[in-house]
Amino acid sequence: MTTTRQSTGPTLLDALSLAAKEADQLLLATTQATHTAISRRVHGLVRLGAGPAVAPVEMAHDAIAGGVYAGIGLGLRGASKALDRAAETGIGPRLEQEAWGRFLSAAVNGLIGDELLRDRPQMAIPMAVRHEGRDVDVHDTAAVAEAFPAATGRVVVFLHGLCEDEAAWRIHRDRVGTTYPEALAADGWTPVLLRANTGLGLRENGAALTALLQRLTESWPVPVERIVLVGHSMGGLIMRAASAVQAEAGGTAWSDLVSDVVTLSTPHLGSWFAIGADHASRGLARLPEVAAFGRIIDRQGQGIRDLILGLAEDVPPLPHARYRLVSATLTRSERHPVARVIGDLLVTPRSAFGRDRGGRELFPDAEVLHVGRADHFAVLNHPDVHDALRRWLA
């Protein structure tokens, strides 16, 4: 039967404990560091005019402020430990039981997923096939058959982007009237939706994905004839990383069955937003008064850091697969100056199409589609992409 993590998964108390811990280590520490830096700057300027006479005032200020911050920090750490002990008893609603809880879990995993895996493994999302809000045990053929009773030999795998989960593919459904999985299912494909901890590095997620897809292929109710990979944003990079991991392993594998790879606003050459955040953190670190804010920006999972560079020539495309690359821009034309700089707010067309400034292309034979007047998330369910998918996978 379909398995669930609800019996052992994280609770609301786990989330509240994490919030208290982050409030102490991130928010309070940032406030204190900024306060201290500004105080030293002000007292230094006053000392230039008043001389040593300002020393007692400075010492009193530091003592009072230090005591206040220490007291607040002690309270937050105590609250976090108390919530952890309560969570261990199993009380409280499970995050997996509600859509808002799954959304919160996906977002937190995207931001600090590698840290969660190390320090709070009960809150770290495992790479998994999803069905009706639950993980499917791909090692159990009966569970796979139950989750996909109408399975066909044509499988289309969907993987979301950073801080998302499988529900992301339902965006704008009320407006569009359907989703990519639903539309392709009507055409005889069997959609498989995945969920991943997007805070992990691309290599780590790629290894997890290749193992998952290999086992899923072996447990599939009917012989698999064709596999199509569809990835949004980071999901496209993870799929490429999985193909590279499988190629290194060699042997007969799921990747031999891949006929098409579709990436939607995937930063193959990196995201300008991630690059900008990296530069911002380095710039802020130079000024004591704002250095702590730079550390907040720098406090990010390996997955986000991997978005700075993307995946270049060291991860070549599958030689037997057709690549279909979708880019979006806020402007009607991809050649508009704004489009060239910010693209869809997160990824530029050049990166989404894998074309560097030197004219080299990661996917020289790929078919590309530009969607104008659309942001980064619009391509999760867009009429133009619907039409293209049906044409590409006919």
Side-chain angles (χ1 to χ4, degrees):
M1 60 181 295
T2 304
T3 62
T4 174
R5 297 176 64 232
Q6 290 180 2
S7 58
T8 58
T11 69
L12 179 59
L13 296 182
D14 286 301
L16 292 175
S17 172
L18 177 62
K21 177 186 174 183
E22 293 301 314
D24 173 44
Q25 295 185 349
L26 199 62
L27 299 181
L28 182 65
T30 298
T31 302
Q32 183 175 10
T34 303
H35 181 175
T36 300
I38 294 175
S39 172
R40 287 175 178 171
R41 179 80 70 181
V42 171
H43 285 130
L45 293 174
V46 173
R47 197 181 301 114
L48 292 176
V54 76
V57 176
E58 184 176 359
M59 292 177 61
H61 169 272
D62 290 347
I64 294 172
V68 171
Y69 285 118
I72 297 174
L74 184 63
L76 289 171
R77 290 190 293 275
S80 180
K81 291 179 180 179
L83 288 165
D84 278 337
R85 288 194 294 269
E88 289 174 357
T89 67
I91 63 174
R94 304 282 168 177
L95 295 181
E96 289 289 300
Q97 290 178 337
E98 302 291 340
W100 65 264
R102 294 191 291 272
F103 174 83
L104 175 64
S105 181
V108 173
N109 272 258
L111 295 173
I112 55 171
D114 48 357
E115 180 181 318
L116 291 180
L117 186 61
R118 182 183 66 248
D119 300 335
R120 292 173 175 260
Q122 76 276 17
M123 295 192 69
I125 292 174
M127 177 77 70
V129 172
R130 301 284 287 175
H131 177 67
E132 295 181 351
R134 299 177 179 179
D135 292 356
V136 177
D137 183 359
V138 296
H139 294 85
D140 186 342
T141 56
V144 175
E146 180 183 347
F148 303 98
T152 68
R154 297 191 297 163
V155 181
V156 55
V157 180
F158 291 89
L159 181 57
H160 57 78
L162 178 69
C163 293
E164 300 171 359
D165 64 9
E166 73 278 10
W169 300 104
R170 297 183 60 83
I171 190 172
H172 302 319
R173 189 186 185 284
D174 55 340
R175 189 171 66 202
V176 179
T178 186
T179 66
Y180 303 149
E182 291 172 351
L184 291 176
D187 289 342
W189 290 87
T190 303
V192 174
L193 276 62
L194 307 181
R195 185 174 68 165
N197 176 350
T198 52
L200 300 182
L202 293 177
R203 176 80 183 187
E204 187 172 356
N205 263 330
L209 178 55
T210 195
L212 179 72
L213 291 180
Q214 183 62 36
R215 188 57 195 165
L216 179 67
T217 302
E218 295 168 354
S219 300
W220 199 245
V222 300
V224 178
E225 303 166 359
R226 183 179 172 189
I227 296 176
V228 170
L229 305 178
V230 180
H232 174 242
S233 194
M234 179 187 283
L237 293 179
I238 295 174
M239 287 176 161
R240 286 182 59 204
S243 300
V245 170
Q246 185 56 61
E248 292 175 3
T252 303
W254 61 270
S255 58
D256 296 335
L257 300 171
V258 175
S259 64
D260 300 84
V261 178
V262 182
T263 64
L264 311 174
S265 287
T266 291
H268 294 291
L269 300 179
S271 166
W272 73 265
F273 189 85
I275 296 171
D278 182 61
H279 290 329
S281 68
R282 295 175 187 274
L284 291 173
R286 298 173 182 174
L287 297 173
E289 290 83 357
V290 292
F293 292 97
R295 289 193 290 272
I296 290 180
I297 297 175
D298 206 37
R299 173 81 180 284
Q300 54 194 2
Q302 183 61 46
I304 297 178
R305 289 192 286 272
D306 282 350
L307 290 180
I308 295 174
L309 296 178
L311 293 175
E313 292 88 349
D314 56 329
V315 183
L318 291 171
H320 57 277
R322 295 179 292 265
Y323 281 75
R324 327 289 196 168
L325 314 174
V326 178
S327 168
T329 59
L330 299 180
T331 59
R332 179 190 295 273
S333 170
E334 65 182 285
R335 295 181 177 84
H336 192 284
V338 172
R340 293 176 182 270
V341 175
I342 65 173
D344 59 13
L345 283 180
L346 296 178
V347 180
T348 63
R350 183 177 60 82
S351 184
F353 293 153
R355 300 168 179 167
D356 67 18
R357 297 185 185 278
R360 293 174 299 179
E361 297 190 22
L362 293 179
F363 314 96
D365 299 321
E367 183 172 347
V368 301
L369 170 68
H370 167 252
V371 179
R373 293 185 175 176
D375 62 31
H376 187 69
F377 302 99
V379 293
L380 280 161
N381 192 16
H382 193 281
D384 291 353
V385 181
H386 271 280
D387 294 340
L389 282 173
R390 299 192 71 175
R391 183 177 73 256
W392 291 335
L393 306 187

